[in-house]
Amino acid sequence: MKEIKNISRSRAQESSAAIERLYITIRHLFNRGFYKPMGISGETLREALLQLRPEIYGSIAGEKVELNGLLYVIERLPVGIEECRYINLTSDEGYSKSHFQAIVPPKRRRNCYRIDEEQMNIEITRGRSDIYDILTHLTFIFIESHKIKDRILLDENQYEVTRDWQKVEYYALQSKKLSQIDKEKAISHASNVLGRSFSEVLAIYDSFGTTDKPDRFLHVIYWLGKLALEEIVENNKRTITFSPILRERLGHHIHGEIWATQIKDILKKNDLLERPIHIISANMHSVMNSIFATHVLKTKFKEKSDFFIFEELSKSGANDVRNKVEEVALKSGMISVLDQSGTNIDVQIFDTAKIDFSKTAFPSAQLVDQKPVLIVMDYAFGEQAYETIDELLKPYKEGKSKVTFLNVASVSIMGKAGILQGGKGDIMIPSAHINEGTGDNYPFQNELNAAMFEGNGIPVFAGPMVTVLGTSLQNKDLLKFFHESTWGVIGLEMEGAYYQKAIQSASKIRKSIPEHVKVRYAYYASDNPLETGSTLASGGLGTTGVKPTYLITIKILEQIFNSK
């Protein structure tokens, strides 16, 4: 009998198992209805995250507090969450009609409500991916808070803390903006509490600040440490709960159905329902600007390139020029549909019959007799992509008897993704989407190809891409495996497999849209998680993302308008 070899598991296998454990644990806790992240019920989640050690959370497994990861997470959670012992995840349950003011995190569109000093409610209207995102972020900051506690608590029984902590508390509770001298004194004490150098803390300090709270960094550190201390000394554990309504509604496409019905009602009202429809998932400016901006702004930016104009439009203070383009678009058949469903997905509808193409960037557009309609939808979030597209592709029902099937000619997906070869701003053209964890895969005929993008000074890569549970759950070992093994994955994103699953079921099985609907997928790189210093936590793209965004948008529109 052959001796069974003791095969050691690779880091990639361990990471894959950790992601699976996270996924199963979160679903279990959700069904249970509540848990204490730093108690026994949250232990599996903490252990899995520490085993996974995602790139975005940097030194989560070390003793020092991870500053870049903390900034990334804080920007995606509501202001004040560090003060709250009770965090309640809810559905859209009517808080918008109350006296509570919605708090929207700067880098993630979700409505949150501060109920009282101790409780924060976070509305989940974008499906399970939103829950994975929030719970992993919260687990991370709670782990970091206990690192602070370990460094400042001298005697658990006597509640004796270090002098550094006493000073941090003093400066954090000041109501006025700290002077430069006091700020540097505070940073000196905070660096000891965090296990980081003075220069490391100084470099990131202002990034946490807001106009109202320039010294928010100290405030965040103080409250994280304070609640962690109280968990140990007074046994006041932080608790995360899931509202009964959320648990009842999740997965039922409630928000997606409301969203899709609103769009179809507007199409019907404007006699657009039976025209050829092209759906584009993109941002709320690139399609509009690609069509109208160069003509509208040609006198203002004489002899400047199109991409120079697009960069100017993308700058934070460019409201005047942006409004000018939008004004022309609205007079030329664009309908702006602000979301009222809770999906946080706004929409623009373009009736090409009302566009004078001689006054656009596509003067050679060759449109058939039935002029197409463009539906441009803002980015979905993870599993929400399936919910929204699945509902949008369903027939439109009027009363009990009349059903109108949509003539969807194409679905185009443009978005940001992590790249596994190359760098920020590069372009990826997928040939298939692989669902992480399950191995489910969706090959497709992409109407876009790498050759179309060559010669523009931007590297282009083609091949399969992996759809991940959350960008915050990725680590180098797992991504390296996907890239270097026979999977040959070129990048990672969060929505592709969900979009394709909905398109395939609608066209091949349910026959609610034409069987030979064209699909286009293209992504530009927001980060390279395999490179230290190039992860999402290292900061945004800035203007680096402008050229690839518009290049992809223009290639999609050229095909729709038959202009090349």
Side-chain angles (χ1 to χ4, degrees):
M1 186 175 166
K2 285 185 179 178
E3 188 182 337
I4 297 171
K5 289 181 180 176
N6 182 20
I7 302 169
S8 62
R9 296 171 78 208
S10 70
R11 271 290 294 144
Q13 288 170 315
E14 286 176 0
S15 302
S16 186
I19 287 176
E20 193 175 352
R21 218 163 45 251
L22 275 162
Y23 178 68
I24 292 165
T25 304
I26 288 172
R27 293 190 84 140
H28 162 69
L29 295 171
F30 177 76
N31 290 331
R32 184 184 181 214
F34 75 98
Y35 78 105
K36 295 178 179 178
M38 300 310 289
I40 294 167
S41 53
E43 193 173 0
T44 310
L45 209 54
R46 295 197 309 273
E47 285 177 355
L49 204 61
L50 287 166
Q51 183 178 26
L52 186 60
R53 299 196 294 278
E55 298 308 307
I56 218 158
Y57 296 148
S59 56
I60 185 174
E63 290 180 9
K64 299 176 178 181
V65 173
E66 166 57 37
L67 298 180
N68 285 322
L70 186 61
L71 175 62
Y72 179 85
V73 167
I74 285 293
E75 288 179 330
R76 284 154 180 80
L77 292 172
V79 172
I81 196 155
E82 67 277 2
E83 301 173 16
C84 297
R85 182 172 285 114
Y86 301 100
I87 295 160
N88 187 24
L89 272 55
T90 73
S91 180
D92 179 359
E93 298 175 21
Y95 285 99
S96 59
K97 298 178 178 70
S98 68
H99 77 280
F100 295 112
Q101 287 294 310
I103 305 168
V104 181
K107 295 287 179 74
R108 191 71 87 223
R109 290 172 302 170
R110 50 171 73 107
N111 289 335
C112 310
Y113 300 92
R114 185 75 179 264
I115 304 303
D116 54 38
E117 288 181 3
E118 291 190 307
Q119 182 178 332
M120 180 73 76
N121 281 13
I122 302 176
E123 265 185 15
I124 304 293
T125 56
R126 304 167 81 178
R128 288 191 184 90
S129 296
D130 226 3
I131 295 175
Y132 305 144
D133 191 53
I134 289 164
L135 293 192
T136 50
H137 285 347
L138 289 173
T139 304
F140 165 74
I141 65 169
F142 293 165
I143 289 171
E144 297 302 302
S145 75
H146 274 247
K147 289 184 192 175
I148 296 170
K149 179 266 300 175
D150 291 340
R151 299 185 79 90
I152 63 177
L153 188 58
L154 296 173
D155 187 330
E156 196 175 302
N157 298 319
Q158 300 294 319
Y159 194 51
E160 189 181 346
V161 292
T162 62
R163 178 176 177 271
D164 284 315
W165 181 248
Q166 292 169 0
K167 292 293 183 183
V168 167
E169 181 177 38
Y170 169 76
Y171 288 115
L173 296 177
Q174 297 296 311
S175 54
K176 293 180 181 176
K177 181 183 176 182
L178 296 181
S179 67
Q180 186 64 24
I181 293 169
D182 282 344
K183 175 181 165 181
E184 289 177 2
K185 283 180 183 176
I187 288 173
S188 175
H189 294 296
S191 61
N192 290 334
V193 164
L194 301 169
R196 292 289 175 184
S197 69
F198 179 86
S199 60
E200 284 177 310
V201 178
L202 183 63
I204 204 164
Y205 187 95
D206 290 336
S207 301
F208 279 80
T210 61
T211 312
D212 300 336
K213 293 183 178 177
D215 301 297
R216 189 175 174 228
F217 176 83
L218 290 176
H219 188 269
V220 169
I221 299 303
Y222 167 68
W223 278 98
L224 288 178
K226 176 181 163 65
L227 293 187
L229 279 172
E230 290 176 4
E231 282 195 330
I232 299 303
V233 177
E234 300 170 25
N235 201 30
N236 284 337
K237 293 273 191 282
R238 283 169 282 197
T239 305
I240 293 174
T241 53
F242 306 93
S243 81
I245 306 290
L246 174 65
R247 291 160 67 204
E248 182 186 300
R249 285 180 178 174
L250 195 74
H252 289 186
H253 289 201
I254 288 168
H255 300 287
E257 186 180 357
I258 297 166
W259 175 83
T261 303
Q262 183 191 6
I263 294 164
K264 291 172 199 170
D265 284 343
I266 291 169
L267 292 175
K268 173 69 179 172
K269 186 182 168 188
N270 290 275
D271 293 323
L272 303 174
L273 198 60
E274 296 183 16
R275 300 248 294 270
I277 292 169
H278 296 268
I279 298 166
I280 305 172
S281 172
N283 49 55
M284 287 290 96
H285 54 79
S286 62
V287 172
M288 178 179 72
N289 289 344
S290 294
I291 297 172
F292 299 106
T294 49
H295 185 81
V296 172
L297 303 173
K298 65 182 178 184
T299 50
K300 184 176 177 64
F301 298 108
K302 283 179 183 172
E303 298 174 19
K304 297 289 186 184
S305 71
D306 291 358
F307 289 109
F308 175 88
I309 295 171
F310 298 144
E311 278 192 20
E312 289 299 308
L313 283 162
S314 302
K315 288 179 179 174
S316 56
N319 292 331
D320 289 346
V321 278
R322 277 201 292 267
N323 292 342
K324 210 172 181 181
V325 176
E326 188 175 5
E327 198 180 309
V328 171
L330 288 166
K331 288 176 182 173
S332 305
M334 185 181 93
I335 303 166
S336 185
V337 186
L338 295 176
D339 177 60
Q340 295 172 351
S341 66
T343 59
N344 281 310
I345 298 177
D346 294 335
V347 168
Q348 292 164 338
I349 297 169
F350 293 84
D351 178 1
T352 60
K354 293 181 179 177
I355 297 174
D356 180 353
F357 278 92
S358 66
K359 294 178 181 176
T360 70
F362 303 91
S364 59
Q366 296 172 12
L367 303 180
V368 289
D369 294 337
Q370 269 200 310
K371 301 288 191 292
V373 174
L374 310 186
I375 298 176
V376 181
M377 57 180 281
D378 209 344
Y379 298 122
F381 187 74
E383 284 189 34
Q384 187 192 33
Y386 177 74
E387 176 179 337
T388 48
I389 288 287
D390 185 57
E391 292 296 331
L392 188 56
L393 299 181
K394 286 179 181 176
Y396 179 63
K397 291 181 181 177
E398 294 176 76
K400 290 183 180 177
S401 54
K402 192 174 180 188
V403 173
T404 306
F405 288 85
L406 272 62
N407 180 13
V408 178
S410 74
V411 182
S412 304
I413 312 296
M414 187 266 285
K416 286 189 291 190
I419 196 166
L420 300 180
Q421 58 190 102
K424 288 187 178 187
D426 293 354
I427 290 174
M428 289 161 280
I429 309 296
S431 55
H433 287 296
I434 303 153
N435 221 340
E436 177 189 51
T438 63
D440 294 349
N441 50 82
Y442 303 88
F444 48 83
Q445 178 62 48
N446 196 340
E447 295 296 314
L448 301 173
N449 60 60
M452 294 175 183
F453 295 89
E454 285 165 4
N456 289 286
I458 298 176
V460 188
F461 301 91
M465 292 183 71
V466 64
T467 299
V468 298
L469 280 176
T471 50
S472 58
L473 294 181
Q474 300 317 301
N475 75 351
K476 283 184 181 176
D477 303 290
L478 189 56
L479 295 176
K480 227 172 182 176
F481 164 75
F482 271 122
H483 180 49
E484 294 176 2
S485 69
T486 50
W487 283 111
V489 163
I490 59 166
L492 63 145
E493 46 74 55
M494 281 184 65
E495 293 83 25
Y498 300 118
Y499 279 127
Q500 192 57 26
K501 180 165 69 168
I503 295 164
Q504 281 184 197
S505 64
S507 61
K508 311 287 186 199
I509 301 168
R510 303 165 89 169
K511 310 291 184 185
S512 54
I513 62 170
E515 187 176 353
H516 300 293
V517 60
K518 292 180 178 179
V519 294
R520 303 179 188 90
Y521 290 91
Y523 299 90
Y524 59 94
S526 57
D527 63 302
N528 184 334
L530 294 182
E531 284 183 13
T532 304
S534 293
T535 67
L536 280 172
S538 67
L541 273 166
T543 54
T544 313
V546 174
K547 189 171 181 180
T549 299
Y550 281 92
L551 192 57
I552 293 167
T553 307
I554 289 163
K555 294 298 176 188
I556 290 169
L557 293 175
E558 281 176 354
Q559 289 196 356
I560 293 171
F561 296 152
N562 295 313
S563 65
K564 273 200 178 179

